[in-house]
Amino acid sequence: MSEIPLSQPDINESDILAVTSVMRSGRLSIGPRQDLFEQMVAERCSRTQGVAVSSGTAGLHMVLEALGIGPGDEVITTPFSFVASANCILMAGAKPVFVDIDPASLNLDPARLEAAITDKTKAILAVEIFGNPKHMDRIAQIAGAHEIILIEDACEGLGGVHMGKPVGSFGRAAVFGFYPNKQITTGEGGMIVTDDDRLADLCRSMRNQGRPVDAHKGDANKSGAWLAHERMGYNYRMSEITAALGCSQMERLDTFLSARRNVAGMYMRRLMDFDDLILPNVQPGTEEDMSWFVFVVRLSDQYAHVERDRIITGMRRHEVGASNYFPCIHLQPFYREMLGHKKGDFPVSESISERTIALPFFNRMDETQVELVCHTLKVMIQREQLLKR
Ligand SMILES: *Cc1c(COP(=O)(O)O)cnc(C)c1O
């Protein structure tokens, strides 16, 4: 058997047909597929508005700016995430303020979050890390009680549900990403969802170089609307080719989610009795609510950083994809330099991030592949145990 990748997109013939038919249509940007994709994603998370963009990062950056978050403002977020969830705050000119995580869900710890709010806190940017939506209801309550904006970085959580509410429906706005390792992919792409019509239109203008929202309608060249720029903007548009793939993938989202749940179950059963491993914490009764993004296990705390790294290297040497999701954002060199962070600032995030191992995880993984991954992982861990003696 060949290499087992860490992730793999699920592309079928109807995806390919959707893409080629756009290419034959002659309409490659700003068209009906974008509108449809926006509707599909918005509807999925009980929102009235969707704004398709070129990436999750672009969507986050634009939402923050559109909400008036900028220099002098602080935004509370988690240090245990993909770097883009803090970078977007810097992109807007605001300051990321990190708050440590809850060791069970790996999401922002609501109690610490509430204690960290100050007069300068303009917003909370919360992440459903690895697709786990736990605490989003409490975080929304805290944001509401303090009259602070909540933004969901939902890039890892499409299709998830928490306390009966879909991921993407908790904040003032939420942002999804469609990079090839996400639950659905468009190659590159993202989507903002909100119920705020004014915010959505502002984002539609900003993604299109600050043009009026209806600049592409009618004979825009004659009316001059195409070269009228009402505000500072970006090119954060999504192409019709991308949007067509998005629509086609959205149609299969539920199939994808159940395939992923099934793979997660295969891992759980095989790794459950292995003492030195901490498995993803899914509360009993909420198994159906989780939108599995990745499958991340953790070594118990008698293992050190170097041992975890050796296990990952060993797995890769045996052609099994593995990764260290995620190194803490505040310890990345430019964050240390810019914000003065150091080791020890967020001990829960740091201790967890030193011991995580992301295992291969994708829709079409079969029993044999899962077996091979688990076997390789166990051998690598046993090797470390022998070295410790
Ligand atoms: C993937 C991801 C993003 C960024 O999405 P891109 O589309 O790659 O820009 C942002 N935040 C989190 C938590 C992510 O996992």
Side-chain angles (χ1 to χ4, degrees):
M1 187 151 45
S2 58
E3 187 188 341
I4 305 176
L6 190 57
S7 75
Q8 195 174 67
D10 188 336
I11 299 293
N12 72 3
E13 285 305 315
S14 47
D15 293 328
I16 293 168
L17 199 62
V19 167
T20 52
S21 73
V22 176
M23 294 174 81
R24 288 180 212 284
S25 77
R27 182 91 182 239
L28 300 188
S29 187
I30 315 180
R33 275 92 179 175
Q34 171 181 276
D35 296 345
L36 181 60
F37 188 34
E38 289 179 345
Q39 264 173 35
M40 289 175 91
V41 178
E43 206 167 284
R44 179 69 194 212
C45 36
S46 311
R47 292 295 206 173
T48 56
Q49 298 279 352
V51 182
V53 288
S54 52
S55 72
T57 309
L60 288 165
H61 171 214
M62 210 163 60
V63 157
L64 289 170
E65 278 202 0
L67 287 167
I69 295 163
D73 296 330
E74 294 186 354
V75 179
I76 296 182
T77 192
T78 166
F80 187 72
S81 178
F82 181 60
V83 73
S85 59
N87 279 355
C88 64
I89 300 167
L90 295 174
M91 290 167 87
K95 184 183 171 195
V97 173
F98 296 109
V99 165
D100 216 341
I101 59 171
D102 152 34
S105 64
L106 311 183
N107 287 330
L108 274 175
D109 177 339
R112 291 177 208 262
L113 167 66
E114 184 145 39
I117 293 171
T118 71
D119 289 345
K120 284 189 178 164
T121 311
K122 186 85 181 264
I124 299 166
L125 193 141
V127 184
E128 287 96 356
I129 203 75
F130 305 152
N132 187 346
K134 182 129 187 260
H135 303 316
M136 209 41 96
D137 59 326
R138 283 185 64 197
I139 294 172
Q141 270 165 18
I142 293 167
H146 292 265
E147 297 184 18
I148 293 168
I149 300 167
L150 171 62
I151 299 151
E152 270 178 274
D153 175 348
C155 286
E156 303 192 356
L158 182 66
V161 176
H162 181 55
M163 313 292 279
K165 279 179 55 125
V167 166
S169 70
F170 289 89
R172 179 79 176 278
V175 179
F176 295 100
F178 309 122
Y179 188 73
N181 68 342
K182 312 282 182 182
Q183 286 88 334
I184 70 161
T185 187
T186 60
E188 297 285 357
M191 182 79 70
I192 300 164
V193 295
T194 183
D195 291 325
D196 181 337
D197 296 352
R198 204 195 57 87
L199 177 66
D201 274 347
L202 190 51
C203 290
R204 288 190 182 106
S205 168
M206 287 169 74
R207 80 173 163 192
N208 191 20
Q209 311 279 17
R211 291 182 174 107
V213 174
D214 54 5
H216 60 286
K217 292 191 181 132
D219 191 344
N221 284 328
K222 218 177 264 169
S223 71
W226 192 250
L227 291 178
H229 304 277
E230 295 177 330
R231 57 178 57 82
M232 169 63 188
Y234 305 95
N235 179 356
Y236 280 172
R237 294 183 305 260
M238 173 181 279
S239 82
E240 282 288 281
I241 303 166
T242 302
L245 179 54
C247 294
S248 176
Q249 291 260 303
M250 271 307 281
E251 283 185 15
R252 286 185 291 143
L253 175 61
D254 284 315
T255 315
F256 289 178
L257 294 180
S258 67
R260 298 172 92 81
R261 200 171 292 132
N262 183 45
V263 176
M266 294 195 277
Y267 270 128
M268 289 286 201
R269 284 191 293 279
R270 280 177 178 77
L271 296 173
M272 204 160 48
D273 300 325
F274 204 62
D275 286 340
D276 289 348
L277 277 184
I278 299 158
L279 299 184
N281 183 294
V282 184
Q283 275 185 304
T286 68
E287 292 86 354
E288 298 279 305
D289 290 354
M290 174 97 178
S291 170
W292 288 94
F293 166 51
V294 284
F295 194 86
V296 178
V297 297
R298 175 158 111 239
L299 298 165
S300 62
D301 50 19
Q302 71 249 31
Y303 290 85
H305 200 168
V306 285
E307 293 166 330
R308 187 277 310 264
D309 290 350
R310 256 198 317 257
I311 291 170
I312 290 179
T313 312
M315 291 180 75
R316 289 179 182 161
R317 203 177 294 129
H318 288 84
E319 308 209 296
V320 173
S323 190
N324 56 333
Y325 290 171
F326 283 110
C328 286
I329 298 173
H330 68 283
L331 297 179
Q332 296 289 351
F334 67 108
Y335 275 89
R336 286 183 191 238
E337 204 171 297
M338 207 168 7
L339 300 173
H341 283 302
K342 57 186 184 318
K343 239 179 144 178
D345 284 355
F346 305 101
V348 180
S349 297
E350 290 168 25
S351 145
I352 285 170
S353 121
E354 288 178 354
R355 291 178 290 111
T356 53
I357 304 173
L359 303 178
F361 190 70
F362 45 93
N363 300 355
R364 296 171 188 225
M365 252 185 118
D366 60 34
E367 293 265 359
T368 316
Q369 289 175 312
V370 172
E371 184 66 41
L372 193 59
V373 173
C374 294
H375 181 75
T376 312
L377 174 64
K378 286 179 182 178
V379 170
M380 290 305 146
I381 293 175
Q382 278 157 359
R383 191 172 171 277
E384 292 302 322
Q385 289 167 345
L386 290 174
L387 286 171
K388 272 182 197 293
R389 288 231 205 108

